[in-house]
Amino acid sequence: MSKIMLATDGSPEAERAARMAASLARALGSELHVAHVGHVASLYAASETEILDPEFQARLVERAEGEARAKLDAEVAKTEAIGGEVAGAHVDVGRPDAGIVRIAEGIGAGLVVLGSRGMGPLRRALMGSVSASVVRHFPGSVLVARGEGGGELPGRILLALDGSEEASAATRTAVEISNATGSELHAVHVLDTNPRLPYPGPGTWQTWEEELAHAKREARTWVDRQAERIEAEGGRIKDAHLRFGEPDGEIVKLAEELGAALVVIGSRGLTGMSRVLLGGVSDSVVRHAHCPVLVVREPERDRKHDLTDARDEARQGASS
């Protein structure tokens, strides 16, 4: 996270995001960049004569850029007033989610921080949201600062574990933030205990219960081992929690019980149609948590480099 980009629109939720971004940049020694994406007025609001003018749309974009730059200057001043040292300011116009991703990729940001308006489920389903779209489409990590509570560091950080590569990246990030900010680090693994089809019949119910009890014991052992590994690598785990049920719901519930300031979770990196159809635990936690959520995704270029290094090591081992 050598570069952190704050995407702001001047809303109260964006102010919370600004505090988070400034705090993280100071603690991690990262460059802090501020971005704002301006709105271009719709052509349909103009008269027919204006619409037919070939230069009219260019004037609309120019006007939007001017307004966006003025807004950006104001947001930079606000960020500096709360202690943020701004290394760069960036402006774009058009769709907010697309503009945020475009700017972040252009400057090589490792983390995007933005606020969430906290829309209700029906409105969110119909309209989507900028924060959810950025989480889905930005190839790096995204921190969504919710407005309901939490968000002040140092505080309690809840790290979600599931054994995936993405969760390993989330672990490294959570430990880094915890150590840098002096925040209390908690870890949680959720064992999904809801029966799946085919539903166990009367003759197999006892076997299913025995297997579930065994899975719970194995999960407890696994969680304890993960906590020991994190401690051995320089992290400090306050408590390692094991919960049972739907992973997204249990993570959100535990975060509320702890009064967490931040939830850190890995992203499985779904793309395209599979993401539309399947969604994901991280998407659900972002939508429903009452505190900021950091979705960690390693940049694709780093994954390719890791894969290349692994292949080279395998070839060297085989030749020797």
Side-chain angles (χ1 to χ4, degrees), residues 63-224:
R63 183 186 307 166
E65 288 178 345
E67 293 173 352
R69 289 188 184 280
K71 184 69 174 178
L72 176 63
D73 291 342
E75 294 305 310
V76 168
K78 289 181 183 178
T79 304
E80 292 177 335
I82 61 174
E85 185 175 340
V86 179
H90 312 271
V91 71
D92 201 342
V93 294
R95 276 186 49 178
D97 51 349
I100 290 168
V101 171
R102 184 162 50 244
I103 296 172
E105 289 185 320
I107 67 173
L111 172 66
V112 170
V113 182
L114 72 165
S116 170
R117 295 297 181 89
M119 293 180 179
L122 178 58
R123 191 178 175 193
R124 182 186 303 278
L126 294 174
M127 299 180 62
S129 76
V130 172
S131 57
S133 180
V134 173
V135 168
R136 292 187 175 199
H137 296 106
F138 179 57
S141 302
V142 180
L143 192 158
V144 180
R146 303 301 302 271
E148 290 88 340
E152 302 298 330
L153 297 176
R156 292 191 178 101
I157 297 175
L158 178 61
L159 165 66
L161 300 171
D162 65 1
S164 65
E165 293 182 7
E166 293 80 6
S168 295
T171 298
R172 294 192 296 271
T173 300
V175 168
E176 183 180 7
I177 294 174
S178 172
N179 290 345
T181 62
S183 296
E184 188 176 281
L185 181 59
H186 291 250
V188 61
H189 174 65
V190 182
L191 179 63
D192 193 342
T193 56
N194 293 317
R196 298 292 186 264
L197 293 176
Y199 195 82
T204 60
W205 186 259
Q206 183 176 354
T207 302
W208 183 83
E209 286 187 324
E210 292 173 354
E211 292 177 351
L212 178 59
H214 175 73
K216 289 182 176 180
R217 291 193 297 271
E218 289 291 316
R220 181 71 264 175
T221 300
W222 183 83
V223 169
D224 292 340

Side-chain angles (χ1 to χ4, degrees), residues 252-285:
V252 170
K253 188 185 302 183
L254 179 57
E256 292 185 20
E257 292 172 5
L258 293 173
L262 178 66
V263 172
V264 181
I265 187 169
S267 168
R268 291 299 180 92
L270 296 176
T271 57
M273 186 57 69
S274 60
R275 180 186 300 279
V276 174
L277 295 175
L278 297 175
V281 173
S282 57
D283 287 344
S284 181
V285 173

Side-chain angles (χ1 to χ4, degrees), residues 111 132 135 137 150 198 234 239 241 272 297 316:
L111 172 66
V135 168
H137 296 106
D239 200 356
H241 306 263
R297 182 184 294 120
Q316 292 173 4

Side-chain angles (χ1 to χ4, degrees), residues 26 64 147 304 312:
R26 287 194 303 269
K304 291 177 180 178
D312 291 343

